[in-house]
Amino acid sequence: MGILSRMIPTEDASARKREIEEKLKQEQETLSFIRENLEKSDQLTKGMVSILSSFESRLMQLENSIIPVHKQTENLQRLQDNVDKTLSCMDHVISYYHVAKDTDRIIREGPTGRLDEYLACIAKIQKAVEYFQDNNPDSPELNTVKARFEKGKELLEAEFRNLLTRYSKPVPPILILDAISVDEELEVQEEVVLEHLPEAVLQDIICIAGWLVEYGRNQDFMNVYFQIRSNQLDRSIKGLKEHFRKSSASSGVPYSPAVQTKRKDTPTKKVPKRPGKDDVLDIEIDSYIHCISAFVKLAQSEYALLLEIIPEHHQKKTFDSLIQEALDNLMLEGDNIVSAARRAIMRHDYSAVLTIFPILRHLKMNKSEFDSTLQGTAASTKNKLPTLITSMETIGAKALEEFADSIKNDPDKEYNMPKDGTVHELTSNAILFLQQLLDFQETAGAMLASQVLGDTYNIPLDPRESSSSASSYTSEFNKRLLSTYICKVLGNLQLNLLSKSKVYEDAALSAIFLHNNYNYILKSLEKSELIQLVTVTQKRAESLYRELIEQQIISYKSSWFKVTEHLSEKNMPVFQPGTKLKDKERQIIKDKFKGFNDGLEELCKTQKGWAIPDKEQRDFIRRSQKTVVSEAYRAFLQRCANISFTKNPEKYHKYHPEHVEEMIEKLFDTSA
């Protein structure tokens, strides 16, 4: 056991030793392998360094050889580019010397039909001009291309004129009427477009105008433009007037057959004809009114066209020039209307002023649109319409005042008095004149207000209406002013009629005359809106006229007193039935019969030729008179029924009461 125990450690040590020696051997082999590899690596590194050194050396040699070649090549390329550019510039410069020749045919033939090509040609010439001016200003070529450019510009100007002249046409009257018409039944109005130039032509004109402004340095074309378009505007309006003249002459209907509508701001009712006048005056008024509306519409359309063609800073001035001829002609026509009215007033033909009312109303109603259309024009242009309006208001107010005075001062001429006591011509003319004012109440009131006639009529102003100028008078004040004017006319008429009635020798005829005239005035007031206008300042107008009429009826009835007084009991003898009358008493009764008979016959014969045109009044007066006379006559006959005052009673008792009534029934009946 002891030997074994000693032997085991010895064997382990040997094994351990062999193991260590084995590992050591392996490590030595590994170390030796590493040394060999390191040596090989060093050899390879040395070889690589050698190769790299050799490569670096060769690269340096190559660089030293290539760089000079590269620089030389780069210089050569630069030289080549310069040569190409020089050649190109030479070609470009040489081309300028050929521009005149190359463009000769196109310039000579003009731009018609090939505007784009022509403008491109002009652009080449313009560039040539710029080149020679900058590089060779003394060269003859500069003068050549300059002349060619001016020729091209001249032909462009001519083309501008030719296009405008060839395609600018007056707007047809029917199209104008449709453009200014208003159909009140349509909520949305379809605007009529006025096309003055075909679209393709318009674009060419715009293009030429743009070139002339930008490159041509030319403004003459704007004068050409306004002259041509001004002529067409004036011709369009004159064509409309001619349309009215021809249409009215042939059919009496001077309107567009295409659109039967009411025209804006034109009278819905015709001005009643003046005595002895025909339709010519109405047509002239209607024509002028429509021409005013046409001018506004056409001018607006011309301005819209002008905006596309004329440079912005020249638009207002060109437009101002364009509309002058047509506007001046309209204003001249308006002045002629004023002058005609003034001459009529001098002849005391005051109804002639009525031609001004529809025109003045239309001018004032359209003034804001007129002013808007002329916005930006010269002050002298803007003031033309207000000046005409002022002239019309002045002459109108003068006519109104002189008319009122003429009613008051109309002379009492016996030969001019109606023999039958009917309505006097002065009355019918005065009422007709006042009725015609109804369609133009605001216009007439403003006329009076424009002349500050409120002081004349002593009309108090409402504090809210106070102002230093007549233009601030309100519509309500104008209405009161017109009402007072009408009352003044009626008052003057009443005074004149009263004076005229004294021409009649027969007081009864005088009463019938006043009755007829007062009744005519009242009925005329009631049948129209005049009564409402009168009562604005004279609340009792109706009752006052009724009182006047009643007074004249009473005055007329008094003419029968000389007939009915014979039927009274005055001087009638008192007697008992069966008592024989004395001769004197019988004579009294005979005289009463004779007085009644003679008076009845005389009155009926005379008054049968008198007239009471109003059937209602005529029947009333007859009926009233029949009642009074027949009742008195019946009572008289009854008192004389049992009295024997004559051997021939039929000689005195000529009429039965029914016969008397029949005779009275025929009063005021010239046909009986």
Side-chain angles (χ1 to χ4, degrees):
M1 288 292 294
I3 297 173
L4 288 172
S5 60
R6 285 196 295 271
M7 289 179 66
I8 293 173
T10 303
E11 293 177 357
D12 291 338
S14 297
R16 182 64 178 167
K17 182 178 179 181
R18 284 194 298 273
E19 183 179 349
I20 293 171
E21 290 175 350
E22 184 66 27
K23 288 184 179 180
L24 181 60
K25 185 179 178 179
Q26 292 177 353
E27 292 292 335
Q28 288 175 346
E29 291 175 353
T30 301
L31 181 59
S32 177
F33 177 76
I34 291 173
R35 284 197 184 97
E36 291 176 358
N37 286 330
L38 286 173
E39 289 175 358
K40 291 179 180 180
S41 175
D42 288 340
Q43 292 175 359
L44 291 173
T45 300
K46 289 178 180 179
M48 181 61 70
V49 169
S50 177
I51 292 171
L52 289 174
S53 297
S54 175
F55 184 70
E56 182 179 7
S57 176
R58 291 180 180 181
L59 281 176
M60 290 180 65
Q61 291 176 359
L62 180 62
E63 182 178 356
N64 291 333
S65 301
I66 291 297
I67 287 176
V69 173
H70 175 72
K71 289 182 178 179
Q72 186 177 6
T73 303
E74 189 178 46
N75 290 335
L76 290 173
Q77 184 65 44
R78 188 178 295 110
L79 289 174
Q80 180 64 42
D81 290 343
N82 289 339
V83 170
D84 291 341
K85 289 179 180 178
T86 301
L87 290 174
S88 177
C89 288
M90 288 296 293
D91 291 340
H92 185 67
V93 170
I94 291 172
S95 69
Y96 289 134
Y97 287 86
H98 294 287
V99 164
K101 179 181 178 180
D102 294 342
T103 59
D104 181 65
R105 181 182 60 83
I106 295 176
I107 294 299
R108 277 189 293 103
E109 292 177 355
T112 304
R114 53 175 180 180
L115 182 60
D116 291 341
E117 181 184 3
Y118 190 85
L119 289 177
C121 184
I122 290 288
K124 290 181 181 180
I125 298 173
Q126 187 176 9
K127 288 182 179 179
V129 171
E130 293 171 353
Y131 171 78
F132 288 119
Q133 284 178 334
D134 294 340
N135 298 282
N136 195 1
D138 297 327
S139 64
E141 285 80 5
L142 175 59
N143 294 331
T144 301
V145 291
K146 268 188 174 182
R148 187 58 49 82
F149 181 80
E150 291 301 319
K151 180 64 176 178
K153 183 172 73 171
E154 180 183 323
L155 291 176
L156 275 176
E157 293 171 358
E159 179 70 2
F160 182 87
R161 179 188 294 273
N162 291 338
L163 288 175
L164 268 179
T165 303
R166 189 182 313 133
Y167 293 99
S168 290
K169 306 294 182 186
V171 181
I174 291 177
L175 188 59
I176 295 176
L177 288 169
D178 290 344
I180 64 178
S181 67
V182 175
D183 191 339
E184 296 180 351
E185 296 180 359
L186 296 178
E187 294 183 2
V188 180
Q189 298 296 324
E190 182 178 350
E191 185 175 357
V192 177
V193 178
L194 301 176
E195 185 178 290
H196 297 288
L197 297 168
E199 183 60 30
V201 174
L202 174 60
Q203 292 307 317
D204 283 353
I205 290 175
I206 292 172
C207 187
I208 294 174
W211 188 92
L212 290 173
V213 171
E214 185 173 358
Y215 302 109
R217 305 294 188 270
N218 179 286
Q219 296 183 5
D220 291 342
F221 78 94
M222 288 182 268
N223 295 331
V224 171
Y225 179 85
F226 89 69
Q227 289 168 0
I228 294 175
R229 293 307 307 170
S230 174
N231 182 49
Q232 298 307 324
L233 173 60
D234 190 53
R235 288 178 61 192
S236 297
I237 295 176
K238 287 179 178 176
L240 180 61
K241 291 177 64 176
E242 183 66 14
H243 172 75
F244 268 79
R245 187 186 66 79
K246 290 182 178 179
S247 298
S248 60
S250 60
S251 63
V253 184
Y255 296 114
S256 163
V259 179
Q260 297 294 337
T261 60
K262 293 181 180 177
R263 263 67 189 178
K264 180 181 180 181
D265 296 336
T266 54
T268 56
K269 293 189 290 185
K270 284 286 184 183
V271 178
K273 295 182 181 63
R274 294 182 290 151
K277 284 291 180 179
D278 55 19
D279 289 334
V280 174
L281 189 59
D282 286 343
I283 292 167
E284 290 178 356
I285 294 171
D286 216 20
S287 172
Y288 187 69
I289 286 173
H290 281 80
C291 285
I292 290 292
S293 294
F295 171 80
V296 173
K297 183 64 69 173
L298 290 170
Q300 291 170 346
S301 180
E302 286 290 347
Y303 188 68
L305 178 66
L306 178 146
L307 292 178
E308 299 188 72
I309 299 172
I310 304 300
E312 182 177 358
H313 53 289
H314 292 283
Q315 289 169 355
K316 295 293 185 183
K317 182 179 179 181
T318 304
F319 178 68
D320 197 338
S321 301
L322 190 156
I323 62 174
Q324 283 303 313
E325 183 177 5
L327 181 59
D328 285 344
N329 286 339
L330 283 175
M331 296 302 107
L332 177 61
E333 188 173 351
D335 289 338
N336 290 339
I337 291 171
V338 172
S339 298
R342 185 176 290 111
R343 290 192 297 270
I345 293 171
M346 293 176 66
R347 298 192 306 268
H348 306 293
D349 180 11
Y350 303 107
S351 58
V353 79
L354 294 168
T355 61
I356 288 179
F357 281 81
I359 295 172
L360 179 58
R361 180 176 71 175
H362 188 73
L363 291 177
K364 295 181 75 172
M365 291 178 71
N366 287 272
K367 186 178 181 299
S368 60
E369 189 173 7
F370 210 101
D371 291 344
S372 176
T373 302
L374 300 186
Q375 187 177 6
T377 59
S380 58
T381 302
K382 294 177 185 176
N383 290 335
K384 288 181 179 179
L385 181 66
T387 300
L388 178 59
I389 288 176
T390 299
S391 296
M392 287 190 169
E393 285 190 327
T394 301
I395 195 66
K398 178 179 176 62
L400 290 175
E401 280 303 288
E402 291 198 12
F403 173 77
D405 291 340
S406 73
I407 295 298
K408 180 179 180 180
N409 301 320
D410 187 71
D412 305 330
K413 299 176 181 178
E414 185 175 350
Y415 66 85
N416 196 34
M417 295 296 290
K419 304 301 181 184
D420 57 1
T422 190
V423 178
H424 197 279
E425 183 182 11
L426 178 68
T427 302
S428 58
N429 286 345
I431 293 299
L432 176 60
F433 186 89
L434 295 179
Q435 286 175 334
Q436 289 170 332
L437 296 182
L438 286 176
D439 287 336
F440 311 100
Q441 295 182 37
E442 185 63 31
T443 303
M447 266 186 186
L448 297 170
S450 70
Q451 303 304 306
V452 199
L453 295 177
D455 293 339
T456 303
Y457 298 125
N458 297 316
I459 297 179
L461 277 171
D462 187 286
R464 292 169 296 178
E465 298 170 346
S466 298
S467 175
S468 59
S469 65
S471 61
S472 66
Y473 289 143
T474 64
S475 177
E476 185 61 30
F477 177 77
N478 291 347
K479 188 174 183 180
R480 295 206 309 273
L481 192 58
L482 181 59
S483 173
T484 304
Y485 170 78
I486 292 174
C487 289
K488 176 182 178 181
V489 172
L490 293 175
N492 289 350
L493 177 60
Q494 182 181 339
L495 290 173
N496 196 298
L497 290 173
L498 189 59
S499 176
K500 283 180 171 16
S501 69
K502 296 175 183 178
V503 172
Y504 294 112
E505 296 179 359
D506 192 326
L509 181 55
S510 176
I512 290 297
F513 170 76
L514 289 175
H515 165 274
N516 284 332
N517 281 270
Y518 293 154
N519 185 66
Y520 177 83
I521 294 171
L522 177 59
K523 294 294 184 182
S524 299
L525 294 178
E526 291 176 335
K527 288 178 181 178
S528 65
E529 296 178 10
L530 275 174
I531 191 63
Q532 286 86 356
L533 198 53
V534 168
T535 53
V536 169
T537 53
Q538 180 53 268
K539 303 298 183 184
R540 295 188 62 248
E542 283 187 87
S543 60
L544 289 175
Y545 272 109
R546 294 191 191 284
E547 290 173 8
L548 289 172
I549 293 168
E550 182 61 30
Q551 288 172 9
Q552 299 312 314
I553 292 175
I554 294 172
S555 295
Y556 162 73
K557 287 182 176 181
S558 65
S559 67
W560 283 84
F561 290 167
K562 62 183 178 181
V563 176
T564 57
E565 68 177 352
H566 296 291
L567 306 178
S568 67
E569 295 185 0
K570 184 179 180 182
N571 298 327
M572 193 72 174
V574 179
F575 56 86
Q576 297 295 326
T579 303
K580 186 177 180 179
L581 295 178
K582 298 176 182 179
D583 291 342
K584 182 180 180 180
E585 293 174 334
R586 285 196 299 271
Q587 190 59 45
I588 291 175
I589 296 175
K590 289 178 182 179
D591 289 343
K592 283 184 174 290
F593 268 104
K594 187 177 187 307
F596 172 77
N597 293 337
D598 291 346
L600 176 66
E601 291 169 358
E602 180 186 352
L603 280 184
C604 287
K605 180 181 178 181
T606 301
Q607 297 184 7
K608 185 174 71 172
W610 297 353
I612 298 181
D614 189 322
K615 184 179 183 302
E616 182 181 348
Q617 285 292 308
R618 184 169 65 244
D619 291 344
F620 169 75
I621 292 175
R622 284 171 174 171
R623 188 168 54 251
S624 175
Q625 205 57 42
K626 280 193 300 185
T627 301
V628 172
V629 176
S630 64
E631 286 183 358
Y633 188 47
R634 290 177 192 277
F636 176 73
L637 291 178
Q638 188 175 2
R639 287 197 298 272
C640 298
N642 298 320
I643 300 176
S644 178
F645 63 93
T646 179
K647 294 179 180 180
N648 302 307
E650 64 278 357
K651 177 181 177 182
Y652 298 97
H653 187 188
K654 295 172 61 175
Y655 303 105
H656 294 290
E658 292 78 14
H659 192 191
V660 172
E661 291 180 355
E662 289 176 5
M663 293 172 69
I664 295 175
E665 186 64 31
K666 293 179 181 179
L667 296 178
F668 319 116
D669 188 357
T670 55
S671 64

